[in-house]
Amino acid sequence: MTETEIPKGSYAAGRQVKLPAGAEAPYAVYINGVEQRDGEDYRVAAGEIVFTRQIVKEKVGTGRWLAMYLGLFGTYRKNETIDLQFQRAGKTELISDLPVEPD
């Protein structure tokens, strides 16, 4: 297991995300569009997806948020997003940018 480097302007948000209500396997888990492997990159336990490493999110303060909102500049900091494909009531669903739960 390797730890992810946390660049300046970002933070370690946590290692787990909650499964949506009624979500059933099979799961396809992605970090920034890259599929993760069950048992190697994550495991499913007690209604959560638990990653083997920290998920990195961008720190966005009020000033930075306002500047981005006004279109003065964008963001180039590391900000990982978790997407999940799963089955619910016999249908395949995809949820993007699941919130990361702190450790």
Side-chain angles (χ1 to χ4, degrees):
M1 166 170 39
T2 60
E3 279 301 313
T4 301
E5 181 179 331
I6 312 293
K8 183 177 181 181
S10 298
Y11 67 99
R15 294 179 190 268
Q16 62 263 353
V17 297
K18 289 185 188 260
L19 287 171
E24 300 172 347
Y27 303 110
V29 180
Y30 303 88
I31 297 178
N32 289 348
V34 177
E35 189 166 5
Q36 305 298 295
R37 286 177 254 153
D38 187 10
E40 186 174 323
D41 301 313
Y42 72 92
R43 63 184 168 79
V44 177
E48 294 183 325
I49 297 169
V50 181
F51 293 94
T52 58
R53 65 171 182 85
Q54 291 285 332
I55 304 303
V56 179
K57 291 292 196 178
E58 179 182 16
K59 289 180 188 173
V60 180
T62 305
R64 186 164 183 83
W65 181 89
L66 181 60
M68 288 187 304
Y69 179 77
L70 295 174
L72 300 176
F73 55 81
T75 181
Y76 300 100
R77 296 177 181 166
K78 188 165 188 173
N79 187 51
E80 296 178 317
T81 58
I82 310 299
D83 301 327
L84 174 65
Q85 180 179 312
F86 58 95
Q87 298 291 310
R88 181 166 34 197
K91 296 182 182 177
T92 300
E93 295 188 31
L94 176 70
I95 296 182
S96 294
D97 202 11
L98 286 168
V100 178
E101 302 287 321
D103 289 344

